[in-house]
Amino acid sequence: MRAIQFTEYGPAGVVHVADVPAPHAGPGEIRVAVRASGVSPGEMRIRSGSLRDVVPAAFPYRTGFDAAGVVDEVGDGVTGVNIGDEVFGMTNSATRGANADFAVLTAWAPKPAAWSWEEAGGAAGSVETATRVLDRLAVGTGHTVLVQGAAGGVGTIAVQLAVARGATVIGTASEHNHAFLRSLGAEPTTYGTGLIERIRALAPSGVHAVFDCAGGALPDLIAITGDTARVVTIADLTAAAHGVRLSHGAPADDTGTAVGTHADRLAVHGLATAVTLANEGRLRVPVAAAFPLTEAASAHELSETRHARGKIVLVN
């Protein structure tokens, strides 16, 4: 089968299509014939080598964490899903490999009818990340939440999930994305100099929590809440120096919940909630661009601009 990988650190051009053996579903897993898969911004850093001291890559490195497709293998012990079902979900975070013709999923849910393949293919990773951080921040009804970098793949989902929880959401983005953020339910503002004053004007009663999807502004974000424990970042590697939690793909570590049964995985990752909201018309997955699988390098180039509004996906 075809799979996207890189065998050395470098620019987007090191990403290429390789002919590799197809994986097979093990116990508790399913395999899908992939229709679309997500491009993970974190993998841009891994590929560039900037994270080699934190997350060293084992070459060849297969890319892709989330995918949507048609089930064609069901592993031992799996119930409630059949060959031919349309699903979306995530691969094992250690092996990844979703940017391929076939992918093995360890957590999945039925593809909402309202979502296209492109939307479903880019949904699961963002849903998992947003759910994990909102849970860590205990976001709920009556809270005011700031999402820093709200127009990106994770930010757009975080805004909608926080709104669904009954929170008031303020989102930072470039001015040309402000109408878009309003359509998702957030009050928009710009990032950069003067952020503290702008947020205080928008939320005179204070901000309960900050979800940082962008990085580079932790001193201001801490000042906005007044408490490092109320700020979580997924993007700023200086977090520890500021006493802030850097959250990554380890939901059991973040939530303290053991991930055992398939139902446990759905609950922790938030996929079941996402399906419900999507079917109610309350959760959409903005797709910034869709590239053929063979143009993965171009998808990486776009991701590195950090100007994509929503999720970048690859289609088979």
Side-chain angles (χ1 to χ4, degrees), residues 171-218:
T172 66
S174 299
E175 193 166 348
H176 70 273
N177 282 323
H178 284 191
F180 168 66
L181 289 187
R182 288 191 184 94
S183 75
L184 299 180
E187 177 62 35
T189 190
T190 53
Y191 43 78
T193 303
L195 178 64
I196 296 172
E197 291 73 24
R198 289 192 296 277
I199 297 301
R200 287 176 178 166
L202 290 171
S205 297
V207 170
H208 172 268
V210 175
F211 184 165
D212 175 31
C213 301
L218 287 181

Side-chain angles (χ1 to χ4, degrees), residues 113-171:
W115 286 355
S116 66
W117 281 117
E118 290 82 0
E119 290 170 310
S126 295
V127 167
E128 183 275 321
T129 302
T131 298
R132 170 172 20 103
V133 175
L134 293 175
D135 284 352
R136 162 65 60 174
L137 292 167
V139 171
T141 301
H143 294 154
T144 297
V145 181
L146 169 63
V147 178
Q148 172 82 338
V154 174
T156 55
I157 299 299
V159 166
Q160 295 174 86
L161 293 183
V163 168
R165 293 181 180 209
T168 296
V169 181
I170 300 170

Side-chain angles (χ1 to χ4, degrees), residues 10-303:
V14 302
V15 173
H16 61 276
V17 179
D19 186 16
V20 303
H24 294 282
E29 301 173 335
I30 63 172
R31 190 179 81 167
V32 297
V34 177
R35 295 292 184 266
S37 58
V39 174
S40 169
E43 288 187 326
M44 307 304 110
R45 289 176 155 185
I46 294 173
R47 189 213 68 233
S48 72
S50 64
L51 295 182
R52 70 180 72 192
D53 294 332
V54 182
V55 187
F59 299 127
Y61 185 100
R62 302 262 177 84
T63 64
F65 181 56
D66 46 10
V70 178
V71 177
D72 80 332
E73 279 187 7
V74 177
D76 290 343
V78 173
T79 60
V81 64
N82 299 297
I83 290 174
D85 286 354
E86 297 181 351
V87 301
F88 74 107
M90 292 171 290
T91 64
N92 182 298
S93 61
T95 56
R96 296 184 175 254
N99 300 146
D101 286 324
F102 295 92
V104 170
L105 305 184
T106 57
W108 61 88
K111 172 186 169 292
W115 286 355
S116 66
W117 281 117
E118 290 82 0
E119 290 170 310
S126 295
V127 167
E128 183 275 321
T129 302
T131 298
R132 170 172 20 103
V133 175
L134 293 175
D135 284 352
R136 162 65 60 174
L137 292 167
V139 171
T141 301
H143 294 154
T144 297
V145 181
L146 169 63
V147 178
Q148 172 82 338
V154 174
T156 55
I157 299 299
V159 166
Q160 295 174 86
L161 293 183
V163 168
R165 293 181 180 209
T168 296
V169 181
I170 300 170
T172 66
S174 299
E175 193 166 348
H176 70 273
N177 282 323
H178 284 191
F180 168 66
L181 289 187
R182 288 191 184 94
S183 75
L184 299 180
E187 177 62 35
T189 190
T190 53
Y191 43 78
T193 303
L195 178 64
I196 296 172
E197 291 73 24
R198 289 192 296 277
I199 297 301
R200 287 176 178 166
L202 290 171
S205 297
V207 170
H208 172 268
V210 175
F211 184 165
D212 175 31
C213 301
L218 287 181
D220 282 355
L221 302 182
I222 293 166
I224 286 167
T225 63
D227 183 354
T228 57
R230 291 160 61 191
V231 180
V232 173
T233 182
I234 60 170
D236 200 318
L237 297 181
T238 70
H242 295 279
V244 167
R245 175 80 177 195
L246 173 63
S247 187
H248 50 81
D253 291 342
D254 267 20
T255 64
T257 302
V259 183
T261 68
H262 180 59
D264 289 336
R265 292 196 293 273
L266 283 183
V268 171
H269 296 314
L271 300 185
T273 297
V275 171
T276 297
L277 292 174
N279 288 334
E280 293 173 351
R282 301 169 63 198
L283 180 65
R284 56 192 175 103
V285 184
V287 175
F291 293 85
L293 189 69
T294 53
E295 295 179 17
S298 296
H300 275 233
E301 288 176 352
L302 176 59
S303 181

